[in-house]
Amino acid sequence: MKYCERCKVKIAGARESCPLCGGYLDHISSDEPDVFPQIPTIYRQYNLFFRILAWFSIIVVTVSLAVNYGFPKTGYWSLVVLGVACSFWISLFISVRKRSNLSHRILNQLLVVSVLVILWDLLTGWRRWSIDYVIPLLCVAGMGAMAILGKIMKQYIDDPVLYLTIYGALGMIPLIPLLLGWLNVIYPTLICVVISVISLSGVILFRGKKLRQELNRRMHV
Amino acid sequence: MKKKDEKSGANWRRLDNAAKIFPSNTKKEDTKVFRFSCELMEPVESRILQLAVYDTVRENPFFQSVLKRGVFWYYMEESDIDPVVRLEDRVPCSMLYDQSAKRLLFEVSYYRCRINLEVFHGLTDGTGALYFLRSLVCFYLSRKEKDSLGDKRITLGDNGSQAQRMADSFQKYYDDSREYAKKPPKDGKPTGSKPGTKAEKGLKRRVYKLHGVKAPEGRLMIFEGQTDSAKLLETARTYHTTVTVFLAAALILAIAEEMPVRKKKHPVAVSIPVNLRKYFPSETVRNFFGVVNASYCFAEGSGALEDVIRSFGQELSDGLGEEKLKERLDRMSALEHSVVNRLLPLFLKDWILRFFYWRSEKEYTTTLSNLGRVDMPEALAPFIRMFDVFNSTSDLQICTVSFGGKMNLSMTSRFASTEIPKNFFRILAGMGLDLTVVTNVLEVEA
């Protein structure tokens, strides 16, 4: 036990200086063990990878913009580079953000990629490859991922029943461009819608009660 | 630990009114976690502690919950995550609620002779957590000291049923007749959501807020002052006041010593949480507390201890009172029950609650939470040295609790500067109180 002459208080623990005023302590009796364990400060550098990646992207985009400016006759290829870099970073940001669980993040990722892909298609002449192939593929991939992960990696997936339902419902969205006649190629969308109906009916028939309970608690006001 | 039956679905519960503000406002700088510690006479045995945790959770299954996001509100769901006991290896009051991970909202750890219980404030308040810790200590000591205590299990001796302990008392006492709305707003009484603007309070100015360089890594600095509770009570009595007001006055003076002269026109406000169970009968271990803010302005008073005690004490007792507290309860609950608010999606509610919390933080400089005396069964008293409590904060706060004649005044601070803790303890020591200070602050290598 130590004593601080300035603060007029006893100080417990093995210290040389007063934690309140910083002054030297007088030893008055045997030292007692610390009450709090010493936790060393940790210098965290796990952001280093992303900072290097960000700098690399900036270098690539800036150099390509500069080179393209010097050779304008070759076309606007540097904008493609910029577009790819932006899409990559948006996707990465969505997947790394720590605000939600894995199921939610996969869903966000798929939504963001869908939007980016449609934008790409629109900006490159609207050849409809996004709604013909990519969107149905993403929906099927999402449903598949949820079904598989829900069985194998149970501890990472929260509420597989609910998310399978959500993905299944989203898988019905490609039906809209199909019925409105916007598509050039219809079989990917057909496959997607069929799988979606099978998933949804499977969930409702075999896990209907759990689904209702889960919806009840998620949607309570 | 028995696993919950997956097919039947886990039990779920809405958050109580006070808890609803915490998930939106939890961050690394203020984790909304508080810790209760019980220091025993002998080192803790982890195996027995683990069994005691299982016993306590079995009696209070509500504690074994995780927090989840719904479409409109957060809610709690009972979980089968194992409440594992750990040797203390992290900074006190680290994050417990994390949106990305499914984790329990409480944690039991131990270090030497101390059992620590850390709880996320969205789960329960001080009284609820203390109940859990007291039960835990009963179970632990009943097993460990079987030789001296015998086979009979020592219990806390309370009569509440499990249902009573899990009750949402805010819901029970909420009265939607809106009596408070019929009265004209009283001058200078801050409510939960209206800020203390000059226009509303007449000449009263903004409350003084603490600033300063934060501690390395944003760590929570802890300064515990252990003293004799009888002597403290006696000292408070010589000033004709309660221990709470006395300590608040000392804290206000400690802060004032660091205030620049030009800021002295801003009042120093102390927020005092109030246990509503004292006014509205309830056995709940969930949140059931209210808050009263009272302040002292150095530009308007002499600044002497007696004056601070008198003025602050008066403001505090004006704010305490069944009617006032009920009014606040009704006002806060009305926000929760309004149809418009209920239908807002959760992400909007998050922003709104963050805004309201930010505004409410402007109404006080610091917080003083006096949890009073801890009662334990007599047979166990010889094995317990003391109880301790402290809370995470984004600036500075004091929590106090007493047991067996010893009182622990625990100050937590995010600031690197130790001036306010130093001032506070010097003021008390200067009044003849014998203090022993314990801290987690690392000594700087010379």
Side-chain angles (χ1 to χ4, degrees), chain A residues 1-206:
Chain A
M1 186 71 75
K2 308 258 173 33
Y3 183 76
C4 177
E5 184 52 55
R6 295 188 185 91
C7 299
K8 308 268 190 296
V9 296
K10 295 199 196 93
I11 307 283
R15 299 179 63 94
E16 297 297 321
S17 61
C18 174
L20 299 174
C21 69
Y24 277 116
L25 295 173
D26 301 319
H27 187 96
I28 49 173
S29 68
S30 57
D31 278 340
E32 283 155 8
D34 279 327
V35 163
F36 295 103
Q38 304 274 20
I39 316 278
T41 56
I42 310 161
Y43 183 51
R44 291 229 168 107
Q45 267 257 303
Y46 52 84
N47 278 335
L48 186 62
F49 171 69
F50 291 110
R51 280 186 267 169
I52 292 176
L53 199 60
W55 200 35
F56 180 70
S57 314
I58 291 173
I59 291 174
V60 165
V61 167
T62 321
V63 166
S64 46
L65 282 171
V67 169
N68 201 183
Y69 193 78
F71 298 95
K73 294 278 169 54
T74 49
Y76 290 113
W77 54 270
S78 62
L79 291 179
V80 172
V81 174
L82 180 63
V84 167
C86 286
S87 310
F88 170 73
W89 277 101
I90 292 173
S91 280
L92 196 64
F93 184 67
I94 297 287
S95 67
V96 167
R97 227 161 54 113
K98 285 201 81 188
R99 299 291 282 180
S100 23
N101 61 33
L102 186 61
S103 323
H104 207 68
R105 277 195 257 174
I106 294 178
L107 184 63
N108 282 344
Q109 186 72 283
L110 291 179
L111 285 172
V112 164
V113 170
S114 309
V115 168
L116 285 173
V117 145
I118 293 178
L119 273 175
W120 267 104
D121 199 1
L122 282 169
L123 290 172
T124 55
W126 191 228
R127 280 181 292 240
R128 305 186 191 217
W129 49 268
S130 60
I131 50 175
D132 285 342
Y133 296 102
V134 184
I135 306 285
L137 179 68
L138 287 175
C139 293
V140 171
M143 285 187 271
M146 202 78 281
I148 295 171
L149 290 174
K151 276 273 180 281
I152 302 177
M153 295 184 16
K154 271 206 185 88
Q155 69 273 27
Y156 291 109
I157 303 293
D158 229 5
D159 312 312
V161 168
L162 181 71
Y163 280 97
L164 202 56
T165 314
I166 294 176
Y167 284 105
L170 290 175
M172 302 290 276
I173 291 180
L175 202 55
I176 301 173
L178 177 72
L179 294 174
L180 287 174
W182 291 348
L183 299 174
N184 292 333
V185 181
I186 59 170
Y187 70 86
T189 306
L190 284 175
I191 295 174
C192 170
V193 170
V194 163
I195 293 179
S196 156
V197 169
I198 294 174
S199 300
L200 274 176
S201 49
V203 166
I204 291 172
L205 285 171
F206 297 108

Side-chain angles (χ1 to χ4, degrees), chain B residues 184-245:
Chain B
K186 289 214 161 66
D187 173 55
K189 192 61 349 259
T191 64
S193 43
K194 289 203 165 62
T197 56
K198 263 197 217 170
E200 190 205 334
K201 283 178 150 183
L203 288 171
K204 274 213 172 148
R205 292 173 183 274
R206 278 180 303 126
V207 154
Y208 176 68
K209 291 298 287 180
L210 294 168
H211 295 291
V213 174
K214 296 275 157 67
E217 280 193 344
R219 282 191 179 198
L220 195 64
M221 315 278 261
I222 302 159
F223 302 90
E224 282 178 22
Q226 298 158 12
T227 186
D228 183 70
S229 38
K231 188 91 197 295
L232 181 61
L233 187 58
E234 196 191 295
T235 314
R237 287 232 173 95
T238 61
Y239 290 91
H240 310 290
T241 186
T242 62
V243 168
T244 306
V245 173

Side-chain angles (χ1 to χ4, degrees), chain A residues 20, chain B residues 208-212 250-264 268 298 365 396 415 417-424 426-427:
Chain A
L20 299 174
Chain B
Y208 176 68
K209 291 298 287 180
L210 294 168
H211 295 291
L251 180 57
I252 290 173
L253 287 172
I255 292 172
E257 277 181 55
E258 303 307 308
M259 279 170 87
V261 171
R262 64 186 178 281
K263 300 266 182 177
K264 293 244 163 148
V268 176
F298 284 89
T365 312
L396 189 130
F415 299 113
S417 159
T418 58
E419 289 303 292
I420 296 179
K422 178 202 83 186
N423 297 341
F424 178 72
R426 280 194 184 184
I427 289 172

